């Protein structure tokens, strides 16, 4: 797969270079800048730097997905072994493994982006507009590679999952993950490819897009005119604080709260979302006060809009808490502890047709509140800080990515741990413990599958 992705990456990079360079005929003469004073860099060099940032984003996305898959592969068997000691031990192993992937993804994306900005700054100098326009290739590279990982890996894992169930449980009437069913191997591999590697690449693409979009808008504001590098890097500071907050939040799940029963798993994961959101709100308030000037100007479709540092903080907070609301609504509709899932199970009494119809109708109903939450976030953030506010609201929703990814990756790790226990012929008690972990992981994975498409919707509203 990576061979074909690499070929696409090289071809697409060449296309980017040709299109950007041919705008001014590969000119080596600078042109007047739009917002900043002075002369922008020549088209030829802009094309070169944009292509380089695209390749960096694509490579970082591929590496993030690959390393996440390697981490999950090692964690699967270790979670199975820890399940012999109790459900609490298995939970800690699975969650910490997901946390390693979350921190690796968020920190690598942030570090590579920051280093790229400083390297490009050597050439661009005070031409912030040209610098950050070249940096946008970083987000494009991450998103392009995420297309292969998320869509290709997602199709593979679902095809393997359904195929294994059809052959095993339907045709042969053998248990799930039975070693006599060779399709189980494809199913377990699919969990790592689609739900780990694909998800990691997808979230990296979302992070890179949102960060680059916010940096571009900041470069044509009063930050760029006054050459205030700290204020322009405010989006990166938000992500940096998010990593620290998620590190503290992880301690609550693995060190401060002890899981003694399967019924405590889902509430513990829910606490992660609440704690990380609350701590992140405090952290964003602090950096908004320290890093931003009290008043600054944002260009809004040619007009100037005055914004305060606390107004921009509110934009981030709106996106942050909208993400939490979406997570709670998703949990209500996907957890077996609440009536929607119980009603879907009850609809099976009258056959598969009513089950499909009821489940589809419930799925449509479940998106009503999330859509309103996103719409309110867009309206409020745009009213406060125009397009920069929308970009920062999207980053606010993504600021706790490390915790969200840890919770999301925890699901497929627990699922594969159960498959390993079944194929290895281990005690039925161990399979029950891994199934309890997997049940909670299915709910939390659904939260991630809704939250990050919501982030894409926020980002698309910014781009349009």
């Amino acid at each position: 797969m990576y061979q074909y992705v690499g070929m696409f990456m090289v071809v697409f990079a060449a296309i980017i270079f040709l299109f950007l360079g041919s705008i001014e005929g590969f000119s080596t003469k600078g042109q007047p800048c739009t917002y900043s004073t002075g002369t922008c860099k020549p088209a030829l060099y802009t094309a070169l730097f944009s292509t380089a940032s695209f390749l960096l984003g694509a490579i970082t996305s591929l590496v993030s997905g690959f390393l996440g898959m390697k981490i999950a592969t090692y964690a699967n068997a270790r979670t199975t072994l820890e399940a012999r000691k109790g459900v609490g031990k298995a939970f800690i192993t699975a969650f910490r493994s997901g946390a390693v992937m979350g921190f690796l993804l968020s920190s690598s994306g942030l570090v590579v982006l920051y280093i790229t900005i400083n390297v490009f700054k050597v050439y661009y100098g005070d031409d912030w507009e040209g610098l950050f326009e070249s940096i946008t290739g970083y987000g494009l590279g991450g998103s392009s590679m995420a297309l292969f990982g998320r869509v290709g890996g997602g199709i593979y894992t679902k095809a393997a999952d359904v195929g294994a169930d059809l052959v095993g449980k339907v045709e042969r009437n053998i248990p799930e993950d039975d070693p006599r069913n060779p399709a189980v191997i494809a199913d377990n591999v699919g969990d790592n490819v689609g739900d780990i590697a694909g998800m990691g690449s997808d979230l990296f693409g979302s992070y890179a897009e949102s960060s680059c979009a916010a940096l571009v808008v900041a470069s044509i504001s009063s930050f760029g005119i006054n050459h205030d590098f700290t204020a322009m890097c405010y989006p990166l500071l938000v992500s940096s604080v998010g990593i620290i907050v998620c590190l503290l939040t992880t301690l609550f799940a693995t060190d401060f709260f002890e899981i003694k029963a399967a019924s405590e798993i889902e509430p513990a994961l829910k606490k992660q979302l609440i704690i990380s959101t609350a701590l992140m709100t405090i952290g964003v308030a602090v950096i908004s006060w320290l890093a931003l000037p009290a008043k600054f100007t944002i260009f809004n479709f040619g007009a100037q809009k005055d914004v305060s540092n606390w107004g921009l903080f509110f934009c981030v907070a709106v996106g942050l808490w909208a993400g939490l609301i979406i997570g709670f609504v998703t949990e209500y509709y996907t957890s077996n502890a609440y009536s929607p899932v119980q009603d879907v199970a009850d609809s099976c009494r009258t056959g598969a047709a009513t089950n499909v119809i009821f489940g589809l109708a419930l799925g449509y109903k479940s998106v009503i509140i999330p859509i309103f939450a996103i719409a309110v976030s867009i309206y409020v953030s745009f009213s406060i800080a125009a397009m920069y506010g929308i970009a920062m609201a999207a980053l606010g929703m993504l600021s706790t990515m490390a915790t969200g990814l840890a919770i999301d990756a925890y699901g497929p790790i627990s699922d594969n741990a159960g498959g390993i226990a079944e194929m290895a012929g281990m005690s039925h008690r161990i399979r029950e413990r891994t199934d309890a972990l997997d049940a909670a992981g299915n709910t939390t994975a659904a939260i991630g599958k809704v939250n990050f498409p919501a982030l894409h919707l926020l980002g698309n509203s910014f781009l349009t």
Side-chain angles (χ1 to χ4, degrees), residues 12-102:
F12 202 75
I15 293 174
I16 291 175
F17 174 75
L18 291 175
F19 272 91
L20 291 179
S22 62
I23 292 177
E24 298 173 3
F26 295 95
S27 172
T28 57
K29 297 181 179 180
Q31 301 295 326
C33 291
T34 305
Y35 291 98
S36 58
T37 58
T39 303
C40 293
K41 299 302 180 181
L44 176 62
Y45 300 110
T46 300
L48 283 172
F49 280 99
S50 297
T51 304
S53 61
F54 168 81
L55 291 173
L56 279 173
I59 293 171
T60 307
S61 179
L62 291 177
V63 171
S64 298
F66 178 77
L67 292 179
M69 187 165 53
K70 295 292 288 185
I71 292 169
T73 303
Y74 287 119
N76 296 336
R78 294 182 180 182
T79 302
T80 306
L81 294 175
E82 289 297 320
R84 297 180 301 175
K85 304 175 184 178
V87 67
K89 295 290 186 180
F91 169 79
I92 290 176
T93 302
F95 187 82
R96 283 179 175 172
S97 302
V100 171
M101 178 182 173

Side-chain angles (χ1 to χ4, degrees), residues 11 21 27 30 32 34 56 59 66 108 110 121 135 138 146 152 180 187 270 276 310 338 383 413 423 432:
V11 172
S27 172
T34 305
L56 279 173
I59 293 171
F66 178 77
S108 61
L110 180 63
K121 188 177 181 297
I135 288 294
Y138 186 79
R180 292 172 292 178
D187 182 15
K270 188 191 300 185
S276 62
W310 294 114
Y338 301 106
S383 300
I413 290 174
M423 288 187 290
E432 289 178 350

Side-chain angles (χ1 to χ4, degrees), residues 11-340:
V11 172
F12 202 75
I15 293 174
I16 291 175
F17 174 75
L18 291 175
F19 272 91
L20 291 179
S22 62
I23 292 177
E24 298 173 3
F26 295 95
S27 172
T28 57
K29 297 181 179 180
Q31 301 295 326
C33 291
T34 305
Y35 291 98
S36 58
T37 58
T39 303
C40 293
K41 299 302 180 181
L44 176 62
Y45 300 110
T46 300
L48 283 172
F49 280 99
S50 297
T51 304
S53 61
F54 168 81
L55 291 173
L56 279 173
I59 293 171
T60 307
S61 179
L62 291 177
V63 171
S64 298
F66 178 77
L67 292 179
M69 187 165 53
K70 295 292 288 185
I71 292 169
T73 303
Y74 287 119
N76 296 336
R78 294 182 180 182
T79 302
T80 306
L81 294 175
E82 289 297 320
R84 297 180 301 175
K85 304 175 184 178
V87 67
K89 295 290 186 180
F91 169 79
I92 290 176
T93 302
F95 187 82
R96 283 179 175 172
S97 302
V100 171
M101 178 182 173
F103 289 121
L104 174 66
L105 183 71
S106 55
S107 60
S108 61
L110 180 63
V111 168
V112 173
L113 182 56
Y114 182 74
I115 292 175
T116 304
I117 291 172
N118 281 276
V119 171
F120 284 15
K121 188 177 181 297
V122 174
Y123 172 75
Y124 280 96
D126 292 333
D127 181 13
W128 299 108
E129 181 186 349
L131 191 156
F132 287 124
E133 283 184 359
S134 298
I135 288 294
T136 54
Y138 186 79
L140 179 62
S143 300
S144 300
M145 297 306 105
L147 177 67
F148 289 91
R150 192 57 155 166
V151 177
I155 292 174
Y156 170 79
T157 184
K158 295 308 173 187
D161 190 3
V162 173
D165 289 342
L166 287 175
V167 172
K169 292 191 289 187
V170 177
E171 292 187 3
R172 296 297 180 180
N173 195 27
I174 57 179
E176 184 178 4
D177 296 325
D178 192 284
R180 292 172 292 178
N181 183 2
V184 170
I185 300 297
D187 182 15
N188 291 340
V189 171
D191 288 336
N192 289 328
V193 173
D195 294 336
I196 298 292
M199 178 183 61
S201 295
D202 190 24
L203 297 190
F204 173 80
S206 300
Y207 166 78
E209 284 178 337
S210 302
S211 299
C212 292
L215 289 170
V216 168
V217 179
S219 68
I220 57 176
S221 66
S222 58
F223 301 152
I225 296 174
N226 298 328
H227 307 302
D228 189 348
F229 184 68
T230 301
M232 279 189 289
C233 288
Y234 178 73
L236 303 184
L237 292 174
V238 171
S239 300
S240 302
V241 172
I243 294 175
I244 298 173
V245 165
C246 292
L247 179 61
L248 297 175
T249 306
T250 303
L251 299 178
F252 285 93
T254 58
D255 296 292
F256 297 159
F257 300 134
E258 184 179 357
I259 303 297
K260 298 180 180 179
S263 59
E264 299 176 1
I265 297 174
E266 199 168 311
L269 295 175
K270 188 191 300 185
K271 290 177 183 176
Q272 297 297 296
L273 297 174
I274 299 173
I275 294 172
S276 62
T277 302
L279 293 178
M280 189 63 199
T281 304
I282 300 173
V284 172
V286 172
I287 64 167
S288 298
W289 176 54
L290 295 176
L292 296 174
K295 296 287 183 180
F296 54 92
T297 302
I298 295 293
F299 288 97
N300 181 26
F301 300 106
Q304 293 185 353
K305 185 177 182 64
D306 293 330
V307 185
S308 67
N309 54 355
W310 294 114
L312 197 58
F313 155 73
F314 192 70
C315 293
V316 180
V318 164
L320 181 64
W321 285 92
L324 182 65
I325 293 172
I326 294 171
F328 278 169
V329 172
T330 306
E331 188 221 3
Y332 173 75
Y333 280 99
T334 57
S335 174
N336 55 13
Y338 301 106
S339 59

